[in-house]
Amino acid sequence: MDSISNYSYFQNDTDYYEEQSFSLFDIHVLVPVTIISSILFFLGITGNLLTLFIFKRYKEMRTTVNMYLSSMALSDILIFLGLPSDLYRIWKYKPYIFGDFLCKFLFYLSETCTYCTILHITTLSVERYFAICFPLKAKTTITKCRVKRVILSLWVWALLTASPILFLFGVEDRNGSLPDEAKECNYIERSAHTGLLETMTWVSTIYFFLPVLCLTLLYGLICGKLWRTRHKLRGPQAASREKYHKQTVKMLAVVVLAFVLCWLPFHIGRILFAQTTTILYDITQYFNLIAMLLFYLGASINPILYNVMSQKYRKAMSKILNYSQPCYSSKPSCGISHSGLEV
């Protein structure tokens, strides 16, 4: 889970829950949350692995768009590595038994992948803007080699900007007694008092709202361009190119909308947490629990959206699934056709 949001329901007035065996929620809340999380874990890992396999298996699927989507799928898979730890901490937030290194690493990995996904969505949208609004220039500048370098730079930048998390989070004894039983995987109070916690909260917030503003502007310009040129294009190739652009933009717009809806509650949760009082404490705790589920939903939903929005993705998926079934020559679905397999 996003680490800056994560602290908001794993700390603050923890003595309030001491009588509940160090569990933040009742059993009737924990069980359904665990079931839902397990389903999301399975869907997220399986769906994103299949996405990587599809884009790798079929040469015609290795477009620049799909290169970004493949990297996003890898990021989403890595996000799910933190789900078991999050579940453990809502069942029993202390003592944290997995050690300081794993605590720091999972927070860092989650924050890095969160930043990386946002950067990929924004960069991909910028690429689509140039491809549609400046097609001649884009044809020479947007190459697979350059896209690979861009993707690598996005990962490096995400790793660097998330690195303060390594100094902000860790295993700490909050009560000053019974160190083995009171250890929590949370933000370190000493580091938080230096202003690092507030700084990273601002960084994470900017990482969300600034790209959302850019995405809104970009898709507005793209839609305007497609609307103005809808009757000007002539010839079958121009019509086919326009149809491809519309399908791609439509799919990416749905992906962006899902991203905003699934991750917006984190930032609302931070605002609520900053204004939290004892009276509002229960409300913010449950709100952030829902935000956690939405976060992992956002990491698992993209393959489902590709399957719904892209007919060619569905065809590629059906071909992969047919490998596990007996194939008879009379079946029209047998055999692999590589025509037109791109999202």
Side-chain angles (χ1 to χ4, degrees):
M1 180 181 177
D2 182 12
S3 54
I4 301 299
S5 292
N6 206 1
Y7 79 81
S8 65
Y9 67 87
F10 289 129
Q11 75 76 234
N12 192 12
D13 198 18
T14 54
D15 291 339
Y16 179 80
Y17 289 94
E18 289 292 326
E19 296 179 357
Q20 300 186 28
S21 300
F22 304 126
S23 177
L24 295 176
F25 303 97
D26 295 330
I27 190 69
H28 69 273
V29 174
L30 292 172
V31 171
V33 166
T34 301
I35 293 173
I36 294 172
S37 298
S38 300
I39 294 173
L40 292 177
F41 183 87
F42 173 78
L43 291 177
I45 296 294
T46 304
N48 285 298
L49 282 176
L50 283 173
T51 296
L52 288 173
F53 183 78
I54 286 173
F55 294 158
K56 180 69 176 177
R57 173 65 177 83
Y58 299 110
K59 184 178 179 180
E60 289 75 10
M61 293 290 279
R62 299 171 197 167
T63 63
T64 56
V65 172
N66 291 343
M67 289 169 67
Y68 285 105
L69 297 182
S70 296
S71 187
M72 284 173 55
L74 175 61
S75 176
D76 289 339
I77 290 172
L78 294 177
I79 282 175
F80 277 102
L81 295 181
L83 179 55
S85 177
D86 280 343
L87 284 178
Y88 173 83
R89 291 168 65 220
I90 63 175
W91 276 88
K92 190 173 184 180
Y93 70 89
K94 63 180 181 179
Y96 188 77
I97 62 175
F98 301 110
D100 186 68
F101 172 79
L102 194 60
C103 172
K104 289 178 179 292
F105 175 75
L106 291 177
F107 271 117
Y108 176 60
L109 181 65
S110 177
E111 195 75 1
T112 297
C113 292
T114 300
Y115 294 171
C116 201
T117 297
I118 295 172
L119 291 172
H120 276 69
I121 290 176
T122 306
T123 306
L124 177 54
S125 299
V126 171
E127 186 208 84
R128 288 299 88 197
Y129 167 74
F130 278 106
I132 294 171
C133 297
F134 306 97
L136 295 179
K137 186 177 181 180
K139 190 174 182 179
T140 57
T141 58
I142 302 176
T143 63
K144 292 182 179 180
C145 184
R146 288 180 178 176
V147 168
K148 288 179 181 179
R149 290 200 292 265
V150 170
I151 290 174
L152 178 60
S153 67
L154 294 180
W155 276 99
V156 171
W157 180 250
L159 288 165
L160 290 175
T161 52
S163 59
I165 293 295
L166 294 171
F167 304 96
L168 180 58
F169 288 86
V171 175
E172 187 177 53
D173 175 15
R174 290 297 174 87
N175 295 333
S177 61
L178 299 175
D180 292 335
E181 296 182 7
K183 287 183 177 180
E184 301 177 39
C185 176
N186 215 315
Y187 74 86
I188 300 172
E189 291 185 340
R190 183 180 64 259
S191 298
H193 291 158
T194 65
L196 184 58
L197 180 61
E198 183 178 356
T199 300
M200 290 307 295
T201 301
W202 275 106
V203 169
S204 183
T205 302
I206 292 172
Y207 251 109
F208 179 80
F209 286 105
L210 185 59
V212 167
L213 179 62
C214 293
L215 291 169
T216 302
L217 177 62
L218 285 172
Y219 282 99
L221 294 172
I222 289 172
C223 291
K225 177 67 174 181
L226 292 175
W227 177 263
R228 290 192 300 271
T229 60
R230 67 190 187 282
H231 298 308
K232 295 181 180 180
L233 297 175
R234 296 179 180 179
Q237 288 186 346
S240 176
R241 184 170 63 251
E242 182 187 22
K243 182 180 179 181
Y244 168 73
H245 284 325
K246 287 182 177 180
Q247 289 176 341
T248 303
V249 169
K250 184 179 179 181
M251 185 188 72
L252 293 179
V254 173
V255 171
V256 169
L257 180 61
F259 152 74
V260 173
L261 293 178
C262 288
W263 289 13
L264 180 60
F266 282 128
H267 303 279
I268 297 176
R270 290 174 189 142
I271 295 172
L272 288 176
F273 178 73
Q275 305 298 325
T276 256
T277 63
T278 304
I279 297 175
L280 295 177
Y281 182 65
D282 284 340
I283 297 176
T284 57
Q285 292 287 73
Y286 283 95
F287 181 88
N288 283 292
L289 185 63
I290 295 172
M292 183 193 79
L293 294 177
L294 287 174
F295 176 80
Y296 286 114
L297 174 63
S300 63
I301 199 173
N302 283 345
I304 299 174
L305 295 178
Y306 304 153
N307 205 55
V308 172
M309 301 294 297
S310 173
Q311 182 180 6
K312 292 171 183 177
Y313 183 91
R314 290 196 300 272
K315 289 181 180 179
M317 180 71 75
S318 66
K319 288 180 174 65
I320 290 175
L321 296 178
N322 283 335
Y323 276 128
S324 61
Q325 300 176 0
C327 186
Y328 301 98
S329 59
S330 60
K331 288 186 177 182
S333 61
C334 291
I336 301 297
S337 172
H338 296 289
S339 59
L341 283 175
E342 57 183 26
V343 174

